[in-house]
Amino acid sequence: AGVGGRGERGLREQCMMPEETSSPSPEASAGLPERLEAYARYAAVVRAQFQALQEEDVSRFSELAGQRQEIQDSLDEVDPQEPGAGPGDHQEEELLKGVRNDLVEVLALDREIQRKLTRLRGQVASQLRDISSRTGSAREYLSRDAGPEPTHGTRVNVRF
């Protein structure tokens, strides 16, 4: 799964404000701190990925993509309706609201990452076509100047 791949929909669903107004069950609230911590780590990784992309640090970006996928996989294992199925106490509501706002911001960053990667892919494809055409000219020159295939040792005419 790539950047913003299969997990983005799950995150979006998990970010939505619930319509129910009943209190969450004790079981639902039990995993909330771990889940909030996972969302915070996910947000930090996406921000770091964005920064790595801005700095054109491909190896760091790739490393973070692996971390991001691990966090997403752990979040995907949890039913999005478990924690925060209802408003609960005021402190819990505020925490959930803050996390949701943070994730909305992160999903926007993710869309920007996707746009930038798409632009880069187009630029790289164009550059590869240019290199390929230049290499083709060099091959043509060598084949025209070299004559028959040598049986041992290749000599290249470097006079221009």
Side-chain angles (χ1 to χ4, degrees):
V3 175
R6 69 178 172 83
E8 185 175 320
R9 187 173 144 242
L11 276 177
R12 252 182 248 224
E13 290 170 358
Q14 293 175 24
C15 291
M16 296 294 125
M17 291 294 265
E19 293 183 23
E20 281 183 39
T21 56
S22 63
S23 295
S25 66
E27 301 83 33
S29 293
L32 185 60
E34 293 82 13
R35 187 133 167 227
L36 292 176
E37 191 271 332
Y39 287 139
R41 283 187 297 125
Y42 183 85
V45 168
V46 171
R47 287 184 181 103
Q49 264 194 306
F50 183 78
Q51 185 64 34
L53 188 59
Q54 295 296 95
E55 295 170 357
E56 298 180 6
D57 187 345
V58 176
S59 61
R60 178 77 176 134
F61 183 87
S62 296
E63 176 187 321
L64 290 164
Q67 291 176 21
R68 180 178 174 172
Q69 189 59 53
E70 288 174 15
I71 296 167
Q72 183 60 52
D73 289 345
S74 72
L75 286 169
D76 285 348
E77 293 173 2
V78 180
D79 179 5
Q81 296 306 313
E82 270 184 30
D89 65 33
H90 180 69
Q91 183 180 10
E92 184 177 293
E93 285 180 53
E94 290 301 312
L95 282 172
L96 289 171
K97 184 178 178 182
V99 168
R100 284 184 187 105
N101 291 338
D102 203 27
L103 288 174
V104 166
E105 176 189 324
V106 164
L107 291 173
L109 262 182
D110 185 58
R111 287 187 296 277
E112 184 57 33
I113 289 171
Q114 289 177 12
R115 281 192 288 273
K116 183 159 179 116
L117 289 174
T118 300
R119 279 192 309 272
L120 287 172
R121 181 177 48 199
Q123 291 170 353
V124 168
S126 175
Q127 290 176 1
L128 286 173
R129 283 189 298 273
D130 291 346
I131 288 171
S132 180
S133 70
R134 287 190 300 262
T135 304
S137 298
R139 282 192 196 118
E140 182 182 317
Y141 169 77
L142 287 175
S143 67
R144 190 178 52 216
D145 192 48
E149 283 290 317
T151 55
H152 47 339
T154 303
R155 302 182 88 202
V156 176
N157 181 356
V158 291
R159 293 175 292 179
F160 291 96

